[in-house]
Amino acid sequence: MRLFLILAPIVLGVATAVDPALGTPDGSFGVYRAHPAATETHAVLLHWAWILFVPGFLALLGPIRRRGAVLARVAWVATVFGLVTFSALMAFDVFLLALEQTLPDNGTVARVNETFESLGGWATFGWQLPGLAGWALALVLAPIAAARARIISWWVAGAALAGAAGYFLFAITPLPWCVAGPLVMTVAYTLAARSLGRHVPDPDEPDTFGAFRFSVGRVCLVLAPVAFAAGLATVPGFTPDPAQFTEHPVQSQASAFLLHLGWLLFIPAVLTIMQTGGRFARVAGLVTVLALANFSGLMVGDYTDLAARMVLTPEQATRVSDAMGGYALFAVGWVLFGMFGTLLGLIVTASATTADGRSRWWVPVLVGAGIVAFLALGVGPLSLLSPLLLLAGFGLLARSLRYPAPAVHATPAAPAPATA
């Protein structure tokens, strides 16, 4: 996964360079309307840049054992939960593009934007604050933890931090300054990937960080279906009717967050399956993790749709929603990959545990039945059957998984004393 350390800052630089709003003052509506293709490309690539940093940072933190483990735990949590959540916020740029192309009145666009920003509560504490905090902590602590563990040098870590600081300062300035940070990060993380490939962990060092990751992921195998069930159970009126969402705005926000949390919690669960599995499990798990990061972020669309329906007429809000679904790059590169990659990936990943001999055949059968129930039953009381089946399958898997015992290195026996 170290290749993602190099790809992520490259994609970040390209995404930054094509932003049509570079150098414009905040709140200048109408820029996206004039540059629809560049706006869509910028939003999707920026989302994918942060997504690609997730496996990159996980690879960078992976060899850490006891030295640097405290920093690594914070960086790992910030990456898995915070950085993924932050990447979802890029969907708002696509929503703003749909608004500007659907509504010629910039004043109305501004009112929808203000309504979205004023949702507060679940939007602020469930998405924005965790996303921003995780984004910053992951970029800062991941290279520091790796340097503390002697995986990379402090010079490389310093260059990575300098690149991140350059991006923080100049991301919305005109070219070429806006790409200076990503360029420095690309150089730094290329060197980090090279060091990572040469690193040989000390077999005698206790793997406390690996045990932490395994424990968190094992718990998430149970918590993810539970959060998913809570999200389905709190859908207003057990119906997809948009009118119910505007009548119960707080409940609809809670439901969207819980659904997001459910898919988000599946990420450490799948990472644990990868951690203890063979090549098949690692490949299937990597694709599933990337898909889950995309799919969980789609729940932010419930917040944008709610904000639109609180300001616009139902017909206008529907046109905005249809416009978002009509953007090809967004649909293929985010929505479709996220949905089908997640649903198929969970089944394949569960099947990989059976192929590795770590679970019985009924685990992937239960998981597959849960996915089929999710697709077939839609929204309603019966939809709760889906997370219950997933809970049964992944719960059995959590019970059967065992953290691999550390290798025992025999000490050569002392020669027997010579006898007279």
Side-chain angles (χ1 to χ4, degrees), residues 87-147:
S87 72
L89 298 177
M90 306 307 118
F92 183 76
D93 284 348
V94 182
F95 172 66
L96 187 58
L97 172 61
L99 282 175
E100 293 195 1
Q101 288 201 304
T102 306
L103 306 171
D105 180 13
N106 287 342
T108 305
V109 174
R111 286 199 302 273
V112 177
N113 179 65
E114 292 169 359
T115 301
F116 176 81
E117 293 178 346
S118 67
L119 288 176
W122 291 100
T124 299
F125 296 100
W127 291 86
Q128 295 170 350
L129 292 182
L132 287 168
W135 171 61
L137 286 173
L139 286 173
V140 172
L141 294 184
I144 293 178

Side-chain angles (χ1 to χ4, degrees), residues 80-313:
V80 172
F81 297 107
L83 190 54
V84 173
T85 299
F86 179 74
S87 72
L89 298 177
M90 306 307 118
F92 183 76
D93 284 348
V94 182
F95 172 66
L96 187 58
L97 172 61
L99 282 175
E100 293 195 1
Q101 288 201 304
T102 306
L103 306 171
D105 180 13
N106 287 342
T108 305
V109 174
R111 286 199 302 273
V112 177
N113 179 65
E114 292 169 359
T115 301
F116 176 81
E117 293 178 346
S118 67
L119 288 176
W122 291 100
T124 299
F125 296 100
W127 291 86
Q128 295 170 350
L129 292 182
L132 287 168
W135 171 61
L137 286 173
L139 286 173
V140 172
L141 294 184
I144 293 178
R148 176 74 177 84
R150 298 174 181 171
I151 297 171
I152 62 175
S153 70
W154 284 104
W155 290 107
V156 172
L161 294 176
Y167 178 77
F168 291 158
L169 293 174
F170 304 115
I172 59 174
T173 60
L175 287 165
W177 297 107
C178 63
V179 298
L183 179 61
V184 174
M185 293 171 74
T186 300
V187 174
Y189 284 117
T190 298
L191 296 174
R194 183 181 178 184
S195 298
L196 190 60
R198 297 177 174 179
H199 179 73
V200 178
D202 181 359
D204 296 320
E205 184 181 8
D207 191 6
T208 58
F209 178 53
F212 163 79
R213 289 180 288 143
F214 177 82
S215 298
V216 173
R218 195 178 179 198
V219 171
C220 288
L221 281 166
V222 176
L223 291 183
V226 171
F228 180 34
L232 291 176
T234 51
V235 172
F238 271 120
T239 174
D241 183 7
Q244 290 288 327
F245 298 159
T246 54
E247 291 179 9
H248 307 279
V250 176
Q251 185 179 343
S252 65
Q253 292 178 65
S255 174
F257 170 75
L258 290 169
L259 290 171
H260 158 73
L261 182 63
W263 300 118
L264 187 62
L265 290 171
F266 269 119
I267 293 179
V270 172
L271 289 173
T272 289
I273 294 174
M274 295 170 61
Q275 186 180 2
T276 57
R279 179 175 296 180
F280 178 35
R282 292 194 297 270
V283 173
L286 175 60
V287 175
T288 306
V289 164
L290 293 174
L292 282 163
N294 281 271
F295 193 44
S296 66
L298 295 177
M299 307 307 127
V300 78
D302 290 350
Y303 290 80
T304 58
D305 187 64
L306 175 62
R309 294 185 182 279
M310 292 174 69
V311 176
L312 308 176
T313 66

Side-chain angles (χ1 to χ4, degrees), residues 344-366:
L344 291 175
L346 289 176
I347 298 173
V348 174
T349 304
S351 301
T353 64
T354 303
D356 290 340
R358 294 177 293 154
S359 70
R360 304 299 295 272
W361 61 268
W362 47 77
V363 167
V365 169
L366 286 168

